Amino acid sequence: GAGVSQSPSNKVTEKGKDVELRCDPISGHTALYWYRQRLGQGLEFLIYFQGNSAPDKSGLPSDRFSAERTGESVSTLTIQRTQQEDSAVYLCASSFRLDRTEESEQYFGPGTRLTVT
Amino acid sequence: GNSVTQMEGPVTLSEEAFLTINCTYTATGYPSLFWYVQYPGEGLQLLLKATKADDKGSNKGFEATYRKETTSFHLEKGSVQVSDSAVYFCALSGVVYNFNKFYFGSGTKLNVKP
């Protein structure tokens, strides 16, 4: 079946502009995650959605970052007034609930490479 | 809180050498443990997982055993190949406020030379 998809695959923007990144999770996956991966670095958690509950926004680095998700479908990550330090690959992942206490592994999308000039 | 610590890289080995990448964790409750791999230019993909203590996950010749007593999940392979060159991430999923949340280590880059 279809995996997690992200768009665009590449985005080049000028400093100060706003960008919007999109993630389509696997159908039926209740949990959705956004991560940032700078060149040669590990995964930096940004935000986590689980079903219709309030998202965990604890990883968002500043108020320029925001994300939305409608129900269990598409999510958008918005970065306002982009800065050069925002340049990174933005990864989206989804997972589903196996039972009351266990979640499946995360399924990752290919990422969006953002370059701020 | 929950966290994952893995050995810093890069790790450079010759082909057919034995590999160990250390991973230790801190968690409340009973987390599941994972190893993900990221090949050059590709996205992350699950390599193996273990869902309870003493479980051994295995795939593509890699193994890791969930050790609750030492809170570890070290990745091992008996004979590495050049094609194993990649970045390896250890991760756990733990219950936080009744929701499962994933925590990733910082990644360990493996370089295998012919």
Side-chain angles (χ1 to χ4, degrees), chain A residues 33 35 37 41-43 45 48 50 53 56 58 91 95 97-98 100-110, chain B residues 30 32 34 36 38 42-46 49 51 87 89 93 95-96 98-107:
Chain A
Y33 307 75
Y35 297 91
Q37 186 178 29
Q41 304 290 311
L43 292 167
F45 166 75
Y48 161 52
Q50 175 61 272
S53 302
D56 178 350
S58 60
L91 293 168
S95 64
R97 183 63 61 87
L98 292 170
R100 189 176 62 84
T101 60
E102 191 176 346
E103 195 87 2
S104 75
E105 66 268 25
Q106 293 194 335
Y107 295 77
F108 281 84
Chain B
Y30 304 97
S32 294
F34 307 83
Y36 280 81
Q38 187 176 33
E42 298 185 14
L44 273 81
Q45 54 188 277
L46 179 69
K49 69 177 182 181
T51 58
V87 181
F89 293 91
S93 71
V95 177
V96 178
N98 294 322
F99 299 132
N100 271 2
K101 184 175 174 181
F102 278 76
Y103 300 81
F104 282 82
S106 57

Side-chain angles (χ1 to χ4, degrees), chain B residues 66-102:
Chain B
Y66 188 159
R67 302 281 189 203
K68 192 170 176 62
E69 64 277 12
T70 55
T71 62
S72 64
F73 193 55
H74 304 322
L75 183 68
E76 296 182 336
K77 186 174 185 182
S79 176
V80 294
Q81 305 300 312
V82 173
S83 57
D84 294 327
S85 297
V87 181
Y88 293 82
F89 293 91
C90 185
L92 71 82
S93 71
V95 177
V96 178
Y97 303 122
N98 294 322
F99 299 132
N100 271 2
K101 184 175 174 181
F102 278 76

Side-chain angles (χ1 to χ4, degrees), chain A residues 33-107:
Chain A
Y33 307 75
W34 283 99
Y35 297 91
R36 179 168 69 181
Q37 186 178 29
R38 292 196 167 106
L39 187 64
Q41 304 290 311
L43 292 167
E44 179 184 359
F45 166 75
L46 297 178
I47 188 168
Y48 161 52
F49 296 91
Q50 175 61 272
N52 292 314
S53 302
D56 178 350
K57 303 179 181 181
S58 60
L60 294 178
S62 76
D63 59 8
R64 296 187 296 104
F65 288 72
S66 62
E68 293 184 350
R69 186 185 187 197
T70 304
E72 297 180 357
S73 61
V74 171
S75 175
T76 54
L77 176 69
T78 301
I79 308 173
Q80 295 179 308
R81 305 181 303 281
T82 52
Q83 304 294 313
Q84 287 187 331
E85 71 240 28
D86 299 334
S87 296
V89 175
Y90 289 82
L91 293 168
C92 175
S94 68
S95 64
F96 62 93
R97 183 63 61 87
L98 292 170
D99 58 33
R100 189 176 62 84
T101 60
E102 191 176 346
E103 195 87 2
S104 75
E105 66 268 25
Q106 293 194 335
Y107 295 77

Side-chain angles (χ1 to χ4, degrees), chain A residues 11-51:
Chain A
K11 176 71 177 178
V12 180
T13 190
E14 292 180 352
K15 178 182 173 181
K17 295 284 178 70
D18 297 352
V19 295
E20 194 172 273
L21 312 181
R22 176 186 170 107
C23 172
D24 283 87
I26 294 172
S27 177
H29 282 199
T30 55
L32 187 148
Y33 307 75
W34 283 99
Y35 297 91
R36 179 168 69 181
Q37 186 178 29
R38 292 196 167 106
L39 187 64
Q41 304 290 311
L43 292 167
E44 179 184 359
F45 166 75
L46 297 178
I47 188 168
Y48 161 52
F49 296 91
Q50 175 61 272

